[in-house]
Amino acid sequence: MTDQVDRLSTYRSMRDFAATPEPAGEQVAPGTGRFVVQRHRARRLHYDFRLEIDGVLVSWAVPNGPSLDPKARQLAVHVEDHPIEYFDFEGIIPRGEYGGGDVVVWDWGTWEPARTEDPAAAVADGELHLDMHGEKLAGRFVLVRTGEDRSGKERWLLLHKNDDHAVPGWDADEHPRSVKSGRTNDEVAADPETLWRGDLPAAEAAVAIGRNLPTWDPPTPDELAALDALGRKGRWTVQGLDLQLTNLDKVLFPARDGEPPVTKRDFVRYHAQVAPHMLPFLHDRPVNLHRYPDGVDKPGFWHKEMPDYAPEWLTQWRNEEADPGETVCYAVVDSVAALAWMANWGAVELNAWTSRLPDVHEPTWALIDVDPGERSSFDDVLVLARLYRTALQHLGVTAAPKVTGRRGVQIWVPVAGGYTFADTRGWVEKISRAIGRTVPDLISWEWQKDRRRGLARLDYTQNAINKTLIAPYSARPAPGAPVSVPITWDELDDAGLRPDRWTIRTVFDRVREAGDPLAELIGRPQRLPEL
């Protein structure tokens, strides 16, 4: 048998196990006889077809998935062997890591080689016949090597014989749910609480990310229908809580690109529907609000103190350290109804604190704000963001960017407990100063905008208590209601990227297609390297 360490050397060389939840393959019991197929949404959706042979998972990436149709000839790209601990892995691989995306256990079971007693030799020779006994896959399959692609990876065909288990027209994508949990990829992506820690022994690798967050369901179709049926005002009940809604037909956002304008009713609906994606970034955090009760074409104002007429069910936090004249009572937006109430109140921009209750002096995020100046193009912003990408990857720091919905890009870095705001501010400043020295013609360190000569500012000063940046999925005061949206590092190279690309009408398609690369970092206990 080939030495297992050698067989996994390629797998290990392609991953940073301090950043990825995948298993490192430290403890493996030799064996042959099981298989697993994982439905894996990385850059592209594909199916990872894995056979247990001699103590490792011999693996192929199948873009269109296995099929029971005997006429189907599915491309299968032979990839590196994986450790046995990977057999039942279902969860999130962080964006920016090799294979970053969400994974479900699409099928599993046992298999036996056919026409050979040495499956490892059959794979080496380029043809393996096997009988599969899974919950979805059954019958005789054949893997045949056909050549190599341009990168040198072996191209194979995966096909099913015309036997008693054959099903004409059978399509893997019509059977998307996990055999392990019953969940879809979307459901796993939306709930990244449990991940694999590849830097721990296999028996201890399943751990929570920081802490367990609650989950939130969107409003039901009946609840949305009740909202649509209201007149200009009225009472709306959502998830058992009553809201008094007013001026529902008032235009809050002018039209964009030929679309109708956005009314308050539209905005309340958006806040209720986006709650499962937005609330994880707001839960247990005070919020600072930028209100536009008369619409975004009128001047807005910052608002922090909660009024006496706020509903009793709205969670609030009292700041006992407030000096005279400072805000005492902040809102904590932690329910679908609370988000909808904020929309009805004209709170267009929601800005959550980077610290969490009750430890408001300990940030859980370090924030990098690429704040463009009047002369800065979005191409300039992207140059700066890519430099941060290079720096953070060099340091081995996990982070994710997001477009602001206006002109800029922000980068959010999760941090472990125990840091102070002085720690995160100083750390971000050091990285930012180094980047500023790389492209001095693009940036200014002046605090006042009128002294920046229209250049961008790399703002590290937002790392302070009660200083905030726009929350993910919060709208911005511009036509069409553009939204601040997390993106992947690779998307910084997308020629079609714009900072206001997604609006409250299009962001749901985005999340369904791409998931949320920032959500999987919530609560991650990351230590910042010394600089």
Side-chain angles (χ1 to χ4, degrees):
M1 182 179 71
T2 304
D3 188 310
Q4 179 209 332
V5 174
D6 290 341
R7 295 187 68 170
L8 294 179
S9 61
T10 300
Y11 167 88
R12 292 195 186 101
S13 71
M14 301 170 79
R15 290 157 174 82
D16 176 4
F17 292 105
T20 176
E22 299 168 280
E26 299 294 338
Q27 301 176 359
V28 174
T32 294
R34 295 182 298 170
F35 82 88
V36 65
V37 180
Q38 286 151 317
R39 192 173 190 267
H40 185 178
R41 293 194 308 185
R43 288 190 178 184
R44 296 179 180 85
L45 170 65
H46 64 279
Y47 293 73
D48 293 315
F49 185 91
R50 311 191 193 279
L51 303 175
E52 184 184 20
I53 301 176
D54 293 341
V56 296
L57 295 175
V58 181
S59 301
W60 290 261
V62 184
N64 294 321
S67 177
L68 300 178
D69 186 346
K71 294 183 178 180
R73 300 290 187 269
Q74 307 294 61
L75 170 66
V77 179
H78 195 189
V79 298
E80 71 277 8
D81 295 340
H82 280 55
I84 289 297
E85 297 102 317
Y86 217 107
F87 180 82
D88 61 353
F89 172 66
E90 179 169 290
I92 301 295
I93 303 171
R95 302 280 179 176
E97 296 300 314
Y98 178 76
D102 46 80
V103 179
V104 301
V105 177
W106 181 81
D107 196 21
W108 56 14
T110 61
W111 71 281
E112 304 102 31
R115 299 187 183 182
T116 182
E117 293 182 359
D118 190 346
V123 171
D125 290 339
E127 183 170 335
L128 175 65
H129 295 245
L130 62 153
D131 293 322
M132 303 187 71
H133 312 281
E135 297 188 31
K136 297 177 183 178
L137 302 180
R140 177 67 57 86
F141 282 79
V142 182
L143 277 160
V144 182
R145 185 168 59 223
T146 60
E148 292 184 351
D149 62 18
R150 293 180 180 178
S151 67
K153 289 185 176 179
E154 295 179 351
R155 295 168 66 91
W156 294 56
L157 287 180
L158 175 64
L159 54 96
H160 193 285
K161 302 294 284 186
N162 192 8
D163 60 17
D164 291 342
H165 298 281
V167 180
W170 199 90
D171 185 351
D173 282 342
E174 295 177 1
H175 309 271
R177 290 194 175 273
S178 165
V179 296
K180 178 180 179 180
S181 67
R183 297 189 296 170
T184 65
N185 284 79
D186 282 338
E187 290 167 340
V188 168
D191 182 21
E193 295 175 5
T194 303
L195 297 180
W196 276 93
R197 282 276 303 277
D199 56 337
L200 296 177
E204 304 170 16
V207 297
I209 305 178
R211 60 175 188 145
N212 291 326
L213 277 173
T215 57
W216 295 268
D217 293 324
T220 66
D222 287 345
E223 288 170 334
L224 293 175
L227 173 62
D228 295 339
L230 288 177
R232 292 181 58 253
K233 62 180 181 178
R235 189 181 75 173
W236 184 42
T237 302
V238 59
Q239 299 187 353
L241 297 174
D242 291 337
L243 293 82
Q244 293 296 328
L245 304 180
T246 59
N247 298 317
L248 287 171
D249 297 325
K250 176 189 289 186
V251 172
L252 288 185
F253 301 82
R256 167 176 163 174
D257 298 335
E259 296 178 345
V262 176
T263 65
K264 186 191 282 191
R265 189 191 312 269
D266 297 328
F267 198 50
V268 170
R269 170 186 272 265
Y270 168 72
H271 265 208
Q273 290 181 295
V274 83
H277 307 291
M278 192 174 180
L279 286 175
F281 297 100
L282 303 177
H283 178 72
D284 275 358
R285 300 175 189 272
V287 293
N288 300 340
L289 313 171
H290 206 180
R291 293 183 57 205
Y292 292 83
D294 296 320
V296 301
D297 53 354
K298 304 289 195 306
F301 54 91
W302 286 97
H303 197 136
K304 300 178 184 179
E305 188 80 43
M306 284 297 97
D308 293 338
Y309 56 82
E312 292 183 358
W313 48 257
L314 181 68
T315 303
Q316 300 183 40
W317 171 67
R318 184 177 180 84
N319 182 13
E320 300 294 347
E321 300 176 359
D323 292 329
E326 290 185 337
T327 301
V328 174
C329 197
Y330 290 83
V332 180
V333 180
D334 57 5
S335 67
V336 174
L339 264 182
W341 188 85
M342 289 294 169
N344 183 70
W345 204 38
V348 168
E349 296 179 306
L350 304 180
N351 298 259
W353 286 27
T354 54
S355 54
R356 194 171 60 209
L357 300 175
D359 302 316
V360 293
H361 294 283
E362 289 190 10
T364 64
W365 298 102
L367 300 180
I368 298 169
D369 186 16
V370 182
D371 184 15
E374 295 176 0
R375 291 170 46 198
S376 304
S377 67
F378 190 54
D379 285 341
D380 295 335
V381 171
L382 291 177
V383 167
L384 295 165
R386 290 172 189 140
L387 287 170
Y388 277 111
R389 174 178 64 185
T390 300
L392 293 172
Q393 290 175 348
H394 174 74
L395 293 168
V397 172
T398 299
K402 72 180 182 71
V403 291
T404 63
R406 301 195 82 169
R407 300 184 58 218
V409 168
Q410 298 163 1
I411 299 165
W412 288 35
V413 182
V415 298
Y419 287 103
T420 67
F421 283 104
D423 294 332
T424 55
R425 185 168 58 253
W427 190 86
V428 172
E429 181 180 5
K430 288 179 181 179
I431 290 182
S432 300
R433 294 283 183 183
I435 287 173
R437 288 191 292 271
T438 304
V439 283
D441 293 342
L442 294 184
I443 64 103
S444 169
W445 298 108
E446 293 290 343
W447 173 260
Q448 295 177 327
K449 282 191 174 183
D450 59 2
R451 300 181 62 180
R452 294 183 199 166
R453 298 172 287 119
L455 300 176
R457 175 177 167 80
L458 305 180
D459 192 357
Y460 53 86
T461 65
Q462 296 297 335
N463 294 281
I465 193 167
N466 205 354
K467 287 204 172 183
T468 55
L469 295 178
I470 191 72
Y473 306 107
S474 187
R476 308 309 299 271
V483 176
S484 180
V485 177
I487 60 174
T488 67
W489 286 118
D490 287 345
E491 286 179 290
L492 293 175
D493 303 319
D494 180 356
L497 183 66
R498 296 291 180 271
D500 59 352
R501 180 174 182 173
W502 295 283
T503 70
I504 66 168
R505 291 190 169 109
T506 62
V507 72
F508 294 108
D509 290 337
R510 154 72 185 186
V511 174
R512 279 191 292 269
E513 293 169 3
D516 186 340
L518 188 57
E520 61 207 45
L521 303 186
I522 295 174
R524 184 172 186 136
Q526 178 172 233
R527 305 303 302 177
L528 298 175
E530 294 292 331
L531 300 176

